[in-house]
């Protein structure tokens, strides 16, 4: 199907940029937003970009729908939550069998699947589509993860391939992820991985600037080297970090970083839900994601700067005394820092992909993980070429145990083992100086316990749980799968209920 007209609902920063992208690729775009200010701004951008003749604003759903071809094709770029339900309600009188909705919001996958069920009853194709890359990529070409019914995907894929980002080999960064809401789930996991990398990089920045006393330009120079070769080659977040460190505020003529408050509020103000959903899903599905979860908690903890000040005042100053990091050879330590950042980045991918695999198994989506890695090679926030090449090799093995648990791949395990000494040295130095390193230290900890065959202190925890809760345990030489143990010991009898002081087997 050659889609020539699109009804775009939502013209905020992402939507207005997407309208230009579609217009640039030959579509006539009809836009609607309940905010006249947003509509006017989008039209101004269209005129300034030379696409004014291809983009038209409408002030109600009736006129918007009348401007479209049959079948009607809509693209939504809206906030997550009940906004999408309201749009579907408003469009309902104008929808006809065969119409197509491409939901390009950062939406919770269960909302997507619920709306897909509603749309299916009307014969409408509802394609939940993750869009990654920020507003710049929405204009230049994003990474896309569409999912839904097969017939609908067949209809929209030619258009999505046309507008998607291209990887280093020129391939479009879009693929049919599967049925239901797995496209939005994939985007949620992408954003969880993103939070892990963002946190680790800001922690590295803190170590370099506050711990080592490096100037912003020095940090930029070092990161530029990282981004050109080695394990963090062509890493998007490292590359924009170089730009950020070098940016000078035109008003004050001072570094832009010096003007920015140290709080991340997108989660606390609930304009961003994907990080929370990643953590929520990990806890629900019992998948350990400490690098990502620590990053999310760090963001939340930073958000309320007034609360932090109250805590500071109550303690009579900061509990931690952040100081300088003392190293014998800064060049050697920076090499360790490079490897530690790579380790935290790779482990963020491992944790996110393990979560995606667990959800894939639960929902029978049959996701092709090679396609997921491929669409993350361009346009998106977490693109990191060396890691993508590494993961493609891993998933080409196509063994079930590797898909279920990426760390069981020798390729990944050897990389994390190789970088572990650097990660440990950096963490120790950072902790000695009271630097803030939640995601880096969480990466160190999970690598300690997730690769330990036996000897974890959880032996003692299991004994405590059996002592007070009769939760059972397995014997030291027993099975290792995560199921209730077969044994109980009579540690202390309950009142008037005597228990033998011996190991008893049940079941």
């Amino acid at each position: 199907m050659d889609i020539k007209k699109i009804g775009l609902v939502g013209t905020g920063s992402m939507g207005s940029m997407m309208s230009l992208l579609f217009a640039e690729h030959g579509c006539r775009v009809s836009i609607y937003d309940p905010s006249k200010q947003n509509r006017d701004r989008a039209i101004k951008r269209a005129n300034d970009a030379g696409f004014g003749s291809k983009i038209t604003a409408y002030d109600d759903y009736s006129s918007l729908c009348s401007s479209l071809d049959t079948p009607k094709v809509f693209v939504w770029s809206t906030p997550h939550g009940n906004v999408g339900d309201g749009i579907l309600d408003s469009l309902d009188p104008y929808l006809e069998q065969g119409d197509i909705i491409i939901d390009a919001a950062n939406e919770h996958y269960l909302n997507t699947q619920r709306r897909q069920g509603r749309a299916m009853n009307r014969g409408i194709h509802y394609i939940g589509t993750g869009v990654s890359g920020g507003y710049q990529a929405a204009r230049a070409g994003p990474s896309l993860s569409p999912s839904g019914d097969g017939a609908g995907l067949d209809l929209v894929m030619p258009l999505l391939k046309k507008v998607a980002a291209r990887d280093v080999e020129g391939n479009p960064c879009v693929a049919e992820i599967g049925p239901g809401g797995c496209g939005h789930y994939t985007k949620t996991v992408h954003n969880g991985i993103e939070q892990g990398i963002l946190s680790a990089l800001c922690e590295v920045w803190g170590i370099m600037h506050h711990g080592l006393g490096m100037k912003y330009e020095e940090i930029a120079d070092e990161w530029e080297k990282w981004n050109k070769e080695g394990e963090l080659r062509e890493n998007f977040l490292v590359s924009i970090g170089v730009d950020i460190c070098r940016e000078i505020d035109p008003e004050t003529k001072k570094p832009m970083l010096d003007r920015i408050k140290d709080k991340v509020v997108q989660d606390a103000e609930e304009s961003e839900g994907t990080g929370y959903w990643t953590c929520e899903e990990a806890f629900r599905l019992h998948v350990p994601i400490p690098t990502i979860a620590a990053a999310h908690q760090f963001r939340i903890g930073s958000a309320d700067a007034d609360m932090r000040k109250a805590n500071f005042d109550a303690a009579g100053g900061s509990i931690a005394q952040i100081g300088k990091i003392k190293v014998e050879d800064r060049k050697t330590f920076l090499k360790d820092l490079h490897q530690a950042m790579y380790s935290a980045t790779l482990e963020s991918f491992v944790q996110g992909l393990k979560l995606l695999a667990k959800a894939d198994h639960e929902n029978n989506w049959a996701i092709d993980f090679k396609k997921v890695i491929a669409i993350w090679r361009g346009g998106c926030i977490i693109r990191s070429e060396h890691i993508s090449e590494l993961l493609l090799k891993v998933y080409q093995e196509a063994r079930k145990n590797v898909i279920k648990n990426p760390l069981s791949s020798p390729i990944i395990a050897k990389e994390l083992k190789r970088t572990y000494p650097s990660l440990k040295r950096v963490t120790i130095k950072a902790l000695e100086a009271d630097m803030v390193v939640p995601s880096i230290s969480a990466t160190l900890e999970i690598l300690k316990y997730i690769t330990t065959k036996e000897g974890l202190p959880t032996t003692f925890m299991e004994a405590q749980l059996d002592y007070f809760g009769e939760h059972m345990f397995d014997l030291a030489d027993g099975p290792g799968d995560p199921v209730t143990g077969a044994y109980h010991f009579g540690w202390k009898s309950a009142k008037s209920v005597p228990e033998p002081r011996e190991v008893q087997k049940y079941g």
Side-chain angles (χ1 to χ4, degrees):
M1 178 178 174
D2 188 11
I3 298 172
K4 292 295 187 182
K5 291 185 179 181
I6 288 173
L8 194 146
V9 180
T11 57
S13 60
M14 290 287 287
S16 61
M17 293 298 180
M18 288 176 70
S19 70
L20 301 178
L21 177 66
F22 286 119
E24 185 175 48
H25 286 277
C27 293
R28 298 192 66 84
V29 185
S30 301
I31 64 172
Y32 171 74
D33 192 293
S35 166
K36 185 177 184 302
Q37 182 180 5
N38 281 357
R39 297 197 303 266
D40 290 345
R41 183 177 65 172
I43 291 300
K44 183 180 184 304
R45 281 180 171 171
N47 290 329
D48 291 345
F51 296 114
S53 62
K54 292 186 176 182
I55 300 176
T56 306
Y58 294 88
D59 57 11
D60 58 52
Y61 285 109
S62 176
S63 56
L64 175 75
C65 292
S66 296
S67 72
L68 302 176
D69 290 336
T70 301
K72 294 182 287 294
V73 179
F74 300 93
V75 175
W76 296 359
S77 181
T78 55
H80 63 82
N82 59 13
V83 173
D85 295 313
I87 296 170
L88 194 55
D89 288 341
S90 297
L91 283 175
D92 190 70
Y94 312 104
L95 292 176
E96 298 172 316
Q97 184 173 350
D99 286 348
I100 301 167
I101 296 170
I102 301 172
D103 183 351
N106 266 346
E107 187 56 274
H108 194 287
Y109 80 106
L110 290 179
N111 287 338
T112 306
Q113 294 186 162
R114 176 171 48 78
R115 293 183 201 133
Q116 285 173 331
R118 177 180 169 184
M120 186 180 298
N121 291 334
R122 294 280 308 276
I124 296 158
H125 305 291
Y126 192 109
I127 309 300
T129 304
V131 179
S132 178
Y135 72 94
Q136 293 102 334
R139 173 66 188 92
S143 171
L144 300 167
S145 55
S147 68
D149 67 277
L153 287 167
D154 288 343
L155 293 172
V156 302
M157 282 302 293
L159 174 66
L160 298 184
K161 287 180 179 179
K162 194 184 297 184
V163 301
R166 296 294 189 268
D167 65 19
V168 293
E169 296 170 359
N171 301 306
C173 293
V174 58
E176 300 176 18
I177 302 301
C182 64
H184 275 145
Y185 199 103
T186 298
K187 179 55 172 32
T188 293
V189 169
H190 166 286
N191 283 20
I193 295 169
E194 174 188 312
Q195 288 198 5
I197 302 170
L198 279 166
S199 184
L201 190 60
C202 87
E203 294 163 31
V204 166
W205 176 84
I207 289 171
M208 297 174 85
H209 182 56
H210 299 297
L212 298 177
M214 293 176 68
K215 296 178 180 179
Y216 299 145
E217 184 63 35
E218 291 180 295
I219 298 172
D221 290 344
E222 184 67 22
W223 285 0
E224 196 167 45
K225 296 175 190 174
W226 294 4
N227 200 48
K228 284 182 178 178
E229 57 184 8
E231 296 89 345
L232 294 173
R233 171 171 50 86
E234 296 179 57
N235 180 292
F236 174 75
L237 289 173
V238 172
S239 71
I240 68 169
V242 173
D243 295 341
I244 290 168
C245 286
R246 288 176 175 161
E247 190 62 57
I248 301 298
D249 175 37
E251 181 181 344
T252 63
K253 310 302 180 186
K254 295 181 179 179
M256 192 65 214
L257 278 167
D258 290 344
R259 296 202 66 183
I260 298 174
K261 187 90 174 160
D262 60 341
K263 59 177 186 173
V264 175
V265 302
Q266 287 76 21
D267 309 286
E269 68 174 9
E270 298 188 354
S271 62
E272 171 56 58
T274 48
Y276 161 69
W277 299 335
T278 302
C279 295
E280 180 182 52
E281 281 293 290
F283 298 148
R284 182 181 72 83
L285 294 173
H286 313 298
V287 177
I289 58 164
T291 305
I292 294 170
H296 190 69
Q297 291 293 319
F298 185 24
R299 288 160 66 111
I300 295 170
S302 78
D304 192 342
D306 290 340
M307 177 201 67
R308 290 191 282 126
K309 183 181 182 303
N311 298 343
F312 177 92
D313 293 341
S318 176
I319 291 176
Q321 300 300 315
I322 297 175
K324 295 296 182 182
I325 292 178
K326 298 176 182 178
V327 296
E328 294 182 4
D329 184 344
R330 192 172 87 168
K331 187 175 181 180
T332 299
F333 183 74
L334 287 175
K335 289 181 179 178
D336 276 344
L337 199 57
H338 182 192
Q339 294 300 299
M341 181 63 210
Y342 168 54
S343 181
T345 301
L346 180 57
E347 182 57 25
S348 294
F349 274 93
V350 168
Q351 293 170 24
L353 288 165
K354 185 172 182 178
L355 173 59
L356 183 59
K358 193 73 175 285
D360 178 51
H361 177 75
E362 178 190 49
N363 292 278
N364 296 311
W365 285 327
I367 293 173
D368 184 339
F369 282 76
K370 294 189 295 296
K371 289 183 178 180
V372 173
I373 301 305
I375 67 171
W376 288 348
R377 293 184 72 187
C380 71
I381 303 300
I382 64 172
R383 63 184 182 266
S384 191
E385 187 59 22
H386 172 81
I387 290 176
S388 293
E389 292 171 357
L390 190 78
L391 291 171
L392 283 172
K393 290 179 184 177
V394 169
Y395 286 111
Q396 282 166 358
E397 296 177 3
R399 298 203 315 268
K400 285 186 177 180
N401 66 307
V402 170
I403 292 173
K404 181 180 177 181
N405 175 24
L407 187 51
S408 68
S409 164
I411 295 173
I412 292 178
K414 288 176 182 177
E415 282 294 273
L416 290 171
K417 186 175 184 178
R418 177 180 65 81
T419 57
Y420 181 83
S422 292
L423 177 67
K424 183 177 179 179
R425 285 192 291 267
V426 166
T427 303
I428 290 171
K429 284 291 184 182
L431 293 177
E432 285 175 347
D434 273 343
M435 305 303 298
V436 180
V437 286
S439 286
I440 289 175
S441 60
T443 303
L444 180 77
E445 291 299 325
I446 189 174
L447 290 178
K448 285 195 287 185
Y449 64 75
I450 210 72
T451 61
T452 296
K453 183 179 178 181
E454 55 187 21
L456 289 178
T458 42
T459 289
F460 183 75
M461 189 191 304
E462 186 80 333
Q464 288 180 303
L465 290 165
D466 187 59
Y467 186 112
F468 69 74
E470 197 178 3
H471 288 292
M472 316 289 284
F473 58 86
D474 274 320
L475 298 178
D477 59 354
D481 50 335
V483 296
T484 302
Y487 297 88
H488 169 65
F489 181 73
W491 305 91
K492 181 180 180 181
S493 297
K495 184 177 180 181
S496 72
V497 184
E499 268 192 280
R501 290 181 54 75
E502 61 184 33
V503 175
Q504 302 175 67
K505 185 174 182 179
Y506 292 81

